[in-house]
């Protein structure tokens, strides 16, 4: 078995492209079926609010599932758990297409999320196996490019697929993509971690706890996760803010959503270029304070009700700055986790989705009290991320 060694240069070959595709299954599974909520509700004689439970169960699966793969990938190598996850994803995706009722779909979406977690966790661990922290930050910037494209193209593709063939076809398509990815993984993706019999699956919780107690890991993972959770607040509440409060049409809102996605993609690629000349931690030390300043501007804009443009500008800057903050924070979190990189990848992923879920719930609750609660929550996330990064130094 060929095991690759750490490189200090990020070469964007087929291996990196496959890793990027593996991370895309989660966002693709979230965004592609959103336009089909109405059709799904009609199929099961229910309303869209109940269909949203299938999205909630998916997020729950993302939180729990990542913890399942961390220690397993450290114990058995990266590829065997990845095979299991992709096969589970294929089977449950096909089952979703033929779900007899909404309750079955909700359960199957939970299992589908657990399958998709394999790509999220193991792709990050493989990046840590293959590259130094400096080079890995460049690769994470590329992964953000792929994950950023998904929210732009997936809803549009889902709408056309639903109109042409029905919502069931969405799940058949993602299952087919997973089959193709499984074949490429088997043929072209190298094994980056030899099995380690010293790692015990029953020791998962103690290993995860030891990772959480690592001050360096906690500093980077928490600050990056809390900063990113501001974007989840934006995703959750932006339709209410821009369509209902500011009166934008759904089409104009889609363009706005796409523009912010382009912002984070562009900044992530700028980050990759700067990383050729600067250390990733130095970039994070500069970009996080910028995020703090933008967060203050967001809060001021919301408090003084500066109107649509007054909110759009700091919002765009916040989302774009994440393109520099998140890849460098991720690289820093995994930098010193050599023998437990898989476990650390699982913990940081689950921690981020846990924080994001709590923030999404918070913005929903506060949205009933203030129409611009989204900007206050986003600003609070940015400032909290800066404070935690400084306090845990």
């Amino acid at each position: 078995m060929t095991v690759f060694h750490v490189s200090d240069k990020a070469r964007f070959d087929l291996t990196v492209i496959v890793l990027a595709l593996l991370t895309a299954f989660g966002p693709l599974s979230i965004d592609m079926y959103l336009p089909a909520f109405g059709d799904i509700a009609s199929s099961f004689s229910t309303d869209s609010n109940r269909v949203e439970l299938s999205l909630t169960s998916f997020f729950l699966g993302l939180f729990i599932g990542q913890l399942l793969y961390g220690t397993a990938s450290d114990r058995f190598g990266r590829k065997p758990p990845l095979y299991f996850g992709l096969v589970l994803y294929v089977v449950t995706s096909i089952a979703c297409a033929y779900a007899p009722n909404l309750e079955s779909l909700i359960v199957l979406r939970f299992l589908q999320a657990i399958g998709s977690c394999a790509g999220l966790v193991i792709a990050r661990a493989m990046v840590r196996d293959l590259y130094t922290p400096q080079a890995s930050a460049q690769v994470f910037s590329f992964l953000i490019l792929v994950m950023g494209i998904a929210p732009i193209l997936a809803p549009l593709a889902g709408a056309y697929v639903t109109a042409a063939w029905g919502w069931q076809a969405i799940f058949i398509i993602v299952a087919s993509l997973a089959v193709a990815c499984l074949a490429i993984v088997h043929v072209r993706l190298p094994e980056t971690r030899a099995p380690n019999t010293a790692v015990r699956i029953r020791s998962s919780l103690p290993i995860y706890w030891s990772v959480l107690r690592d001050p360096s890991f906690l500093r980077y993972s928490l600050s990056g996760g809390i900063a990113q959770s501001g974007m989840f607040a934006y995703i959750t509440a932006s339709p209410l803010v821009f369509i209902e409060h500011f009166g934008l049409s759904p089409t104009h809102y889609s363009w706005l959503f796409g523009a912010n996605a382009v912002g984070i993609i562009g900044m992530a690629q700028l980050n990759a270029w700067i990383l050729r000349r600067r250390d990733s931690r130095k970039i994070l030390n500069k970009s996080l304070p910028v995020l703090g300043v933008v967060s203050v501007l967001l809060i001021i804009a919301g408090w003084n009700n500066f109107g649509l443009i007054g909110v759009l500008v700091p919002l765009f800057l916040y989302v774009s700055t994440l393109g520099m903050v998140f890849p460098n924070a991720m690289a820093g979190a995994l930098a010193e986790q050599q023998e437990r990189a898989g476990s650390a990848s699982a913990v940081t992923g689950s921690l981020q989705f846990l924080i994001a879920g709590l923030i999404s719930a918070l913005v929903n609750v506060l949205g009933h009290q203030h129409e611009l609660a989204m900007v206050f929550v986003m600003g609070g996330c940015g400032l909290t991320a800066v404070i935690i990064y400084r306090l845990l130094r």
Side-chain angles (χ1 to χ4, degrees):
M1 177 176 56
T2 302
V3 178
F4 278 47
H5 299 287
V6 174
S7 171
D8 60 354
K9 294 183 179 180
R11 295 172 296 177
F12 293 91
D13 52 14
L14 182 60
T15 298
V16 176
I17 294 173
V18 174
L19 294 176
L21 292 176
L22 289 172
T23 64
F25 280 107
L28 193 66
S29 301
I30 293 170
D31 297 310
M32 193 170 181
Y33 93 128
L34 293 179
F37 270 24
D39 290 68
I40 296 174
S42 298
S43 295
F44 296 132
S45 301
T46 184
D47 56 68
S48 296
N49 287 334
R50 290 201 65 208
V51 176
E52 286 181 2
L53 293 175
S54 64
L55 183 59
T56 303
S57 69
F58 193 88
F59 279 123
L60 180 62
L62 288 176
F63 166 58
I64 296 175
Q66 295 191 68
L67 296 175
L68 302 178
Y69 293 102
T71 307
S73 69
D74 288 337
R75 166 63 180 84
F76 299 107
R78 306 304 186 205
K79 293 184 72 173
L82 184 56
Y83 288 143
F84 172 82
L86 286 173
V87 170
L88 177 62
Y89 183 86
V90 170
V91 172
T92 53
S93 296
I94 295 173
C96 283
Y98 295 98
N101 50 57
L102 181 59
E103 290 73 20
S104 299
L105 180 64
I106 291 171
V107 173
L108 288 168
R109 285 283 287 171
F110 173 80
L111 296 175
Q112 185 193 34
I114 290 179
S116 72
C117 285
L120 288 171
V121 172
I122 295 172
R124 288 194 300 255
M126 282 183 154
V127 171
R128 175 60 188 84
D129 295 337
L130 288 169
Y131 302 104
T132 63
Q134 184 74 7
S136 66
Q138 291 180 285
V139 178
F140 284 131
S141 294
F142 180 71
L143 300 190
I144 283 184
L145 169 63
V146 175
M147 295 179 71
I149 291 174
I152 302 175
L153 300 181
L156 184 62
Y160 280 110
V161 169
T162 302
W165 300 296
W167 65 267
Q168 294 89 345
I170 293 174
F171 293 100
I172 299 298
I173 289 173
V174 296
S176 302
L177 292 174
V179 170
C181 194
L182 183 60
I184 297 173
V185 165
H186 180 67
V187 175
R188 298 300 301 269
L189 189 66
E191 176 60 85
T192 62
R193 169 70 180 258
N196 186 354
T197 55
V199 177
R200 303 294 182 186
I201 299 299
R202 62 176 178 267
S203 302
S204 297
L205 291 180
I207 292 174
Y208 291 152
W209 179 241
S210 68
V211 170
L212 278 172
R213 293 175 61 192
D214 185 325
S216 176
F217 170 86
L218 203 58
R219 180 192 190 199
Y220 289 102
S221 188
L222 273 181
S223 56
I226 293 173
Q228 189 195 33
S229 66
M231 187 169 68
F232 279 88
Y234 156 67
I235 292 171
T236 300
S238 57
L240 177 66
V241 171
F242 293 110
I243 295 177
E244 296 191 18
H245 177 65
F246 286 117
L248 295 183
S249 68
T251 301
H252 289 153
Y253 167 74
S254 298
W255 282 104
L256 167 65
F257 197 89
N260 284 319
V262 169
I264 190 174
I265 291 170
M267 196 63 74
Q269 301 321 295
L270 176 62
N271 180 65
W273 181 78
I274 296 175
L275 282 164
R276 300 171 188 169
R277 299 162 177 80
R278 298 290 179 89
D279 180 76
S280 64
R281 299 189 184 189
K282 291 182 178 180
I283 298 174
L284 185 61
N285 289 339
K286 299 293 185 181
S287 57
L288 259 179
V290 172
L291 186 70
V293 172
V294 172
S295 298
V296 172
L297 294 178
L298 259 177
I299 294 172
I300 292 174
W303 186 265
N304 292 281
N305 199 12
F306 283 165
L308 178 61
I309 300 300
V311 170
L312 281 181
V313 173
L315 173 66
F316 177 81
L317 294 175
Y318 185 103
V319 175
S320 299
T321 306
L322 289 178
M324 278 197 169
V325 170
F326 188 69
N328 294 307
M330 179 65 68
L334 300 181
E336 299 176 12
Q337 308 296 326
Q338 291 88 347
E339 293 302 316
R340 54 188 188 185
S343 299
S345 175
V347 172
T348 191
S350 291
L351 191 62
Q352 287 157 7
F353 274 104
L354 174 62
I355 296 170
L358 294 174
I359 292 299
S360 296
L362 176 63
V363 77
N364 271 325
V365 171
L366 295 181
H368 296 291
Q369 311 299 322
H370 197 288
E371 61 272 10
L372 293 179
M374 178 190 76
V375 299
F376 298 120
V377 173
M378 291 181 68
C381 288
L383 292 175
T384 303
V386 175
I387 292 170
I388 286 180
Y389 188 74
R390 295 299 181 187
L391 288 179
L392 296 182
R393 180 168 50 189

